[in-house]
Amino acid sequence: MEANGLKFRHCIDIQVRYSDIDMNGHVNNTIYGHYFDTARVHYFESILKYEIDWNKDSIIMAHTEIDYKSPIFFHDKTRIYTKVSRLGNKSFDMRHVVLDIQTGELKTIAMAVMIAYDVISHKTIEIPKVWRNAVLEYDTEVV
């Protein structure tokens, strides 16, 4: 899938829960962070082919931007596309695009700056080599 000049390979479908809906009848903006967290975890576990011990080497968010293009309603079928677009020594950028599966309508575009983090020592770390190699192999357009 291509959006905003980027090619996305990884995607997951998100089930909108009744509790995600606010009094305006659409997914509340505070819920999107949960959706993106789920997409990021799934992205790494799927490209690494194993379950990560998030209690040791982890990632933390340093910055996020979300552009809400169109609301998501309870019965919408949504899909989140995720990719790493930049890979530094300790940090990387993740991009997300949310589409309505049935109509193809763009719902949301998001970006997050993530930092590799050692949960035990409470310090930033270099991105683990196995993670770096998996990202570069999977998302070939990484800068």
Side-chain angles (χ1 to χ4, degrees):
M1 197 283 294
E2 194 165 328
N4 285 0
L6 298 171
K7 292 180 183 170
F8 290 81
R9 290 181 60 194
H10 186 272
C11 66
I12 61 168
D13 293 350
I14 294 292
Q15 179 181 353
V16 177
R17 300 165 303 190
Y18 181 77
S19 61
D20 295 347
I21 305 301
D22 64 17
M23 64 185 293
N24 295 314
H26 55 73
V27 173
N28 188 277
N29 62 346
T30 61
I31 300 301
Y32 286 77
H34 299 286
Y35 292 170
F36 298 136
D37 283 343
T38 300
R40 283 189 285 271
V41 168
H42 192 272
Y43 172 91
F44 276 105
E45 290 184 348
S46 68
I47 71 166
L48 291 170
K49 310 287 190 246
Y50 63 86
E51 190 172 321
I52 297 170
D53 181 359
W54 294 106
N55 294 312
K56 185 181 175 308
D57 291 336
S58 189
I59 53 176
I60 57 174
M61 186 181 305
H63 175 79
T64 188
E65 297 174 9
I66 302 174
D67 291 325
Y68 304 96
K69 302 295 186 181
S70 180
I72 297 173
F73 296 97
F74 182 64
H75 291 290
D76 288 349
K77 306 296 182 221
T78 56
R79 181 169 289 152
I80 299 180
Y81 291 87
T82 302
K83 76 176 283 89
V84 171
S85 60
R86 181 194 63 84
L87 196 57
N89 291 325
K90 293 184 174 186
S91 68
F92 55 95
D93 296 350
M94 293 197 85
R95 305 282 176 167
H96 304 284
V97 173
V98 182
L99 296 179
D100 183 298
I101 295 170
Q102 296 169 319
T103 66
E105 180 181 21
L106 176 63
K107 297 292 189 173
T108 310
I109 299 170
M111 188 279 292
V113 177
M114 307 301 295
I115 298 173
Y117 188 74
D118 183 319
V119 177
I120 296 167
S121 70
H122 302 287
K123 293 183 180 179
T124 61
I125 58 172
E126 286 196 20
I127 297 167
K129 188 168 260 183
V130 66
W131 293 19
R132 176 180 300 282
N133 292 340
V135 167
L136 290 172
E137 184 178 316
Y138 187 79
D139 276 328
T140 57
E141 298 177 329
V142 177
V143 292

